[in-house]
Amino acid sequence: MKDATGQPVDAERPYLLLLLAGIGFLGCLSMIGGTIAAQIVVPGHDWIADTISDLGAGEWEIIMDVALYGFAAGLFATALAAAHAHLGGIGWSAGVVSLAILAALVVMVGARNEYGDADSDGVVIHIYLVYGLGALFLAAPLSMASGFGRHHPGARRALIGLAIAWVVMAPLFLMAPTSIDGLAERVLGLIACGMIAVMAWVFWQRGRDAHRG
């Protein structure tokens, strides 16, 4: 069966994949760039001892909020690209759903402005969002690794390596003393961005291949 343009309905759309992969890359840049910018302008911020969450509250919270929303857009775009390319079975589908939920959780982190800092206004849910992020940033790459491995073995190895790094660093972050938990959280942020960048790179390559084909 063909669509209105004469292409098979199950063919990958190159421009869609390129667009979504590009948004995925930009989401990672948003998170990294926003974190750097916020910690520069927030007075007295110690990037080793103070967490990224501390940047999301106060006078300059808009910088970190925008960075988080940008990263959420990158996560959702990557989920859409994965749903379109769909390289696996039920595990791949679980990864797609995990990425979409991650996007929603990141939006909630940015919008809620509640970081478990003894603020009594409303219900403190930040810790539950952190647990959700921890679980899903492990589940997404592992459930999709085999699908990537069929055609992109390098991406599979990278995702498994990043997942291992995540499962090592996440408990360390939760147990880290306040003197270094900011550094641990930034390492986790880079690992998360690495996962999305690897996926986006695969979808970018597939978009280019589909365009050439």
Side-chain angles (χ1 to χ4, degrees), residues 15-197:
Y15 297 114
L16 177 62
L17 284 176
L18 291 171
L19 174 62
L20 294 174
I23 296 174
F25 285 127
L26 290 175
C28 295
L29 292 176
S30 171
M31 185 65 184
I32 296 172
T35 301
I36 294 173
Q39 66 190 33
I40 289 174
V41 301
V42 172
H45 184 80
D46 185 341
W47 64 275
I48 296 178
D50 298 332
T51 64
I52 295 174
S53 300
D54 295 331
L55 298 173
E59 180 182 0
W60 296 100
E61 66 182 24
I62 185 62
I63 299 176
M64 202 64 237
D65 287 348
V66 170
L68 288 168
Y69 297 149
F71 187 49
L75 282 164
F76 191 62
T78 305
L80 289 176
H84 176 63
H86 213 292
L87 304 178
I90 190 171
W92 186 274
S93 297
V96 171
V97 174
S98 296
L99 289 172
I101 295 175
L102 279 169
L105 292 180
V106 171
V107 169
M108 291 174 67
V109 169
R112 181 60 179 157
N113 285 336
E114 173 52 78
Y115 299 96
D117 52 3
D119 185 352
S120 60
D121 295 333
V123 179
V124 177
I125 63 171
H126 185 66
I127 188 62
Y128 303 109
L129 299 179
V130 169
Y131 290 151
L133 293 172
L136 293 176
F137 267 119
L138 177 62
L142 290 182
S143 61
M144 301 173 77
S146 63
F148 279 113
R150 293 188 181 93
H151 302 286
H152 309 278
R156 176 181 179 273
R157 290 191 295 269
L159 288 173
I160 291 176
L162 289 166
I164 292 172
W166 181 270
V167 81
V168 170
M169 283 301 304
L172 291 179
F173 164 65
L174 294 175
M175 297 183 295
T178 56
S179 60
I180 61 168
D181 61 348
L183 176 60
E185 188 181 36
R186 282 164 174 77
V187 172
L188 283 172
L190 289 175
I191 294 172
C193 287
M195 294 175 183
I196 302 308

Side-chain angles (χ1 to χ4, degrees), residues 192-208:
C193 287
M195 294 175 183
I196 302 308
V198 168
M199 295 181 189
W201 177 82
V202 168
F203 299 133
W204 181 270
Q205 294 300 317
R206 295 184 71 86
R208 291 182 60 187

